[in-house]
Amino acid sequence: QVQLVESGGGLVQPGGSLRLSCAASGSIVSINVMGWYRQAPGKERELVAAITVGATRNYADSVKGRFSISRDSTKNTMYLQMNSLKPDDTAVYYCNAEVVLTTYRNLEVWGRGTLVTVSS
C-alpha cells in the first residue's frame, strides 16, 4: 500500500508565504512524476506544479514566479514553496505521484489534501 501525506497548509494573509510538504510511503521503488493540484470551492481540480524524476518543472501560469516546486528523492518527499499568496490561491491542495511499486507496476496515487486559506 502506498500513501501520500500532505502537510503545511493553514491560514495566511495576502502576500504571505507557506511551504507544503508531501511525503510518500509504502512499497515504492521510485517515483516518476510528482505534482501539486488544487481545488477551490465550486471549481475543478487544476494542476499547480509538477516535477519529474529528472527535476524538470512545470507550473500553471497563475503561479509562475510565486511558487516553487522541489523534491528530495532520497526521502520520497516533495515540497511547494508558495510566496506572495493571493486570496485566489485559497483551495485544498492535493499531492499526486506516479510511483513504481516493488512489483514494478506503476500506480497513480493521491493524497487527501491540505487546506490553504489566504485571507486578511
Side-chain angles (χ1 to χ4, degrees):
Q1 186 176 1
V2 176
Q3 283 189 321
L4 300 179
V5 178
E6 302 99 334
S7 61
L11 173 64
V12 63
Q13 292 187 341
S17 298
L18 280 177
R19 188 189 194 212
L20 305 183
S21 298
C22 170
S25 62
S27 304
I28 299 171
V29 171
S30 63
I31 302 177
N32 293 330
V33 181
M34 300 187 79
W36 289 99
Y37 289 73
R38 67 185 180 187
Q39 186 165 20
K43 295 187 177 180
E44 293 186 353
R45 191 173 296 189
E46 63 176 356
L47 175 67
V48 176
I51 184 168
T52 68
V53 66
T56 298
R57 296 167 172 84
N58 182 40
Y59 295 95
D61 288 343
S62 59
V63 306
K64 282 180 181 177
R66 300 188 298 121
F67 290 10
S68 179
I69 189 171
S70 61
R71 62 188 286 179
D72 184 340
S73 295
T74 65
K75 299 179 180 179
N76 287 335
T77 301
M78 173 179 63
Y79 307 95
L80 185 68
Q81 178 65 42
M82 304 186 295
N83 299 326
S84 302
L85 282 161
K86 305 175 181 179
D88 284 349
D89 295 318
T90 296
V92 177
Y93 284 71
Y94 296 92
C95 175
N96 172 272
E98 181 187 283
V99 305
V100 180
L101 303 175
T102 53
T103 57
Y104 292 95
R105 181 170 65 93
N106 286 14
L107 181 68
E108 183 181 22
V109 187
W110 288 90
R112 292 187 174 185
T114 184
L115 177 63
V116 172
T117 303
V118 185
S119 175
S120 55

